Amino acid sequence: MNLTDTGLQDRQAWEKAGIAVPTYDRAAMVTRTKENPEWVHFGAGNIFRGFIANLQDALLEAGLAQTGIIAAETFDFDIMDKIYKPFDDLALLITLKADGSTEKKVIASIAEGVKADSGDPKEWQRLRTIFTSPSLQMVSFTITEKGYALKGADGTYFPFVQNDIDNGPKEPSCAMAVVCALLLERYRHGAAPLAVVSMDNCSHNGEKLQNSILTMAEEWKKKGFVDDGFLAYLKNEEKIAFPWSMIDKITPRPSAELAGQLEADGVSSMQPVITSKRTYIAPFVNAEGPQYLVIEDKFPAGRPALEKAGVYMTDRDTVNKSERMKVTVCLNPVHSALGPYGCVLGYTLFSDQMKDPASLKFAEAVGAEGMEVVPDPKILSPKEFLDECLYERFPNPYLGDTVHRLVTDISQGVGVRFGETVKAYVERDGDAKKLKAIPLAIAGWLRYLLAVDDEGNTFELSPDP
């Protein structure tokens, strides 16, 4: 069986292998999407294919949507060449349950994959056409927190960002310049409204995205590349909205073991690849079942019926509380606390570390310190969310989540993941001397940075800017 449009025509073989296939007319959906695009997503990796694209797939299956998503990649173009094009933009989602069982389905909602590469005239023109389409409702992102960063620790622009500022919107390279240039195209072709939605796992993600886009536009204005009208367009929330969101779903690196099982079941060419930019990706996505997406309902051009696919559509305050609950108390702090110790103690799988009584006690202590000052979003229970993480999600041995993934880019998250709780204690008590687990977590990160485990062996630090 081949994961292609032609291969899916043998429905019986896929169903015999226990893999659900789409029941909607994918060819018609692809045509409609290309002619009247409604949704573009930047960041074509695992969380997008295993979560965001699956939401739209559910709406298509239910007849609640008529178009799919156009996936755009700004960073690693190998993904398009090695994972999207050979498989007709299809993906295979494997949901890994704690009892060892799995659910498998083909995700067919991605109508098109495009390289956000201004150096490729054909791909760049395609994106410009998409962005000038009046039908476009939303642009979303899973490009990781560092994708929004314009400046280094010294406060100066990264060289590649400065290059984009100096050269203007004609041939941008970094993600924020690319998106700003495409919004400029939309402005120049009628200034239609649009929602620009960060779905990245970081604090105040919509604000970060908005600030970076506006900064790029303001720098271009100084150099005469854009006019005041463009800045007014970006700052008018009735035209361009930047909704905030909270996202949560663990999509670890693709498992070679699962690739072998798929191939044994008759699905060909499933082995993971490591791209030239060290992206670990495969034609399939392995992921946990629990998932959460909370979005501020601010869409000036309309939106898909996301609430009917399980998304919480709400106000900014509720999104902010949900995000703070997760990022500063229940999930990310536990990852950032335990991951460094897992590396030092020689663990590979996070689930194995969670079986260690001392590690579990440490995780509970980190959670308990945050629980004293956690904001309650009401739509989700912080206590139930934390318990699900500690006792169901993190110990899932079939998820294959590694401690080295937990410390990837950890420097970008430590300040928020621990700092918000520290600040809350200082505000409440005058100091944070009561905290024990969070200081221990920060000490563990510094110990990890020595890149020497407890046995004295060196190990490779995970990628981190």
Side-chain angles (χ1 to χ4, degrees), residues 363-378:
E364 290 170 336
V366 170
E369 287 185 345
M371 273 291 155
E372 284 200 30
V373 292
V374 68
D376 188 351
K378 306 297 183 186

Side-chain angles (χ1 to χ4, degrees), residues 56-374:
Q56 190 70 355
D57 200 70
L59 294 178
L60 286 162
E61 282 288 348
L64 296 170
Q66 298 302 311
T67 59
I69 307 176
I70 296 169
E73 178 59 33
T74 60
F75 173 70
D76 193 339
F77 301 137
D78 280 354
I79 291 175
M80 291 301 167
D81 292 331
K82 296 181 177 181
I83 297 298
Y84 275 70
K85 288 178 183 174
F87 300 96
D88 291 342
D89 305 319
L90 296 163
L92 205 163
L93 173 61
I94 305 174
T95 302
L96 306 162
K97 301 186 177 181
D99 64 1
S101 64
T102 61
E103 281 183 8
K104 304 183 187 76
K105 68 173 288 191
V106 173
I107 305 296
S109 61
I110 305 168
E112 185 179 3
V114 185
K115 297 176 186 176
D117 181 5
S118 63
D120 185 322
K122 184 180 177 184
E123 298 283 296
W124 187 238
Q125 181 54 46
R126 177 59 187 144
L127 271 175
R128 291 171 69 191
T129 300
I130 291 164
F131 265 75
T132 56
S133 173
S135 60
L136 190 64
Q137 296 180 328
M138 66 181 292
V139 182
S140 54
F141 299 81
T142 50
I143 58 174
T144 75
E145 187 166 3
K146 61 187 175 184
Y148 307 109
L150 301 179
K151 296 179 179 180
D154 63 357
T156 62
Y157 288 115
F158 293 120
F160 60 88
V161 174
Q162 187 63 56
N163 199 48
D164 280 341
I165 290 170
D166 294 339
N167 293 334
K170 192 174 181 183
E171 287 190 1
S173 61
C174 76
M176 294 298 94
V178 163
V179 176
C180 192
L182 291 167
L183 290 171
L184 179 62
E185 287 290 320
R186 191 167 180 83
Y187 164 70
R188 287 173 172 170
H189 290 79
L194 193 65
V196 185
V197 192
S198 172
M199 295 180 179
D200 269 301
N201 176 27
C202 57
S203 181
H204 296 187
N205 52 17
E207 186 176 54
K208 283 185 169 63
L209 173 58
Q210 182 179 29
N211 288 342
S212 295
I213 296 291
L214 286 174
T215 298
M216 188 62 62
E218 285 162 356
E219 293 290 353
W220 283 345
K221 170 69 172 57
K222 291 176 189 175
K223 293 182 177 291
F225 292 119
V226 304
D227 60 20
D228 286 324
F230 179 52
L231 283 167
Y233 173 64
L234 293 179
K235 292 176 179 178
N236 181 354
E237 290 199 333
E238 293 181 5
K239 286 288 190 177
I240 301 295
F242 293 90
W244 294 17
S245 73
M246 184 279 271
I247 189 168
D248 181 28
K249 186 180 179 75
I250 297 172
T251 51
R253 289 177 177 175
S255 159
E257 182 182 346
L258 287 171
Q261 291 175 15
L262 288 169
E263 290 179 345
D265 288 339
V267 187
S268 58
S269 306
M270 287 290 107
Q271 288 301 322
V273 299
I274 304 173
T275 69
S276 59
K277 291 193 172 177
R278 290 178 55 81
T279 301
Y280 290 73
I281 197 163
F284 66 92
V285 179
N286 41 236
E288 65 173 347
Q291 59 185 35
Y292 301 90
L293 183 55
V294 184
I295 305 178
E296 180 185 3
D297 200 354
K298 188 183 290 183
F299 289 78
R303 62 169 176 79
L306 292 168
E307 71 281 0
K308 294 182 179 174
V311 179
Y312 297 90
M313 304 303 299
T314 183
D315 57 67
R316 178 172 293 187
D317 184 57
T318 303
V319 173
N320 190 36
K321 287 178 178 175
S322 300
E323 179 268 326
R324 283 196 61 186
M325 176 197 77
K326 177 203 168 219
V327 173
T328 73
V329 176
C330 296
L331 189 143
N332 300 78
V334 177
H335 275 171
S336 293
L338 269 69
Y341 282 102
C343 295
V344 169
L345 293 170
Y347 287 104
T348 298
L349 294 179
F350 184 43
S351 57
D352 287 340
Q353 185 185 2
M354 286 297 292
K355 292 174 189 168
D356 168 46
S359 292
L360 176 59
K361 186 178 179 183
F362 182 34
E364 290 170 336
V366 170
E369 287 185 345
M371 273 291 155
E372 284 200 30
V373 292
V374 68

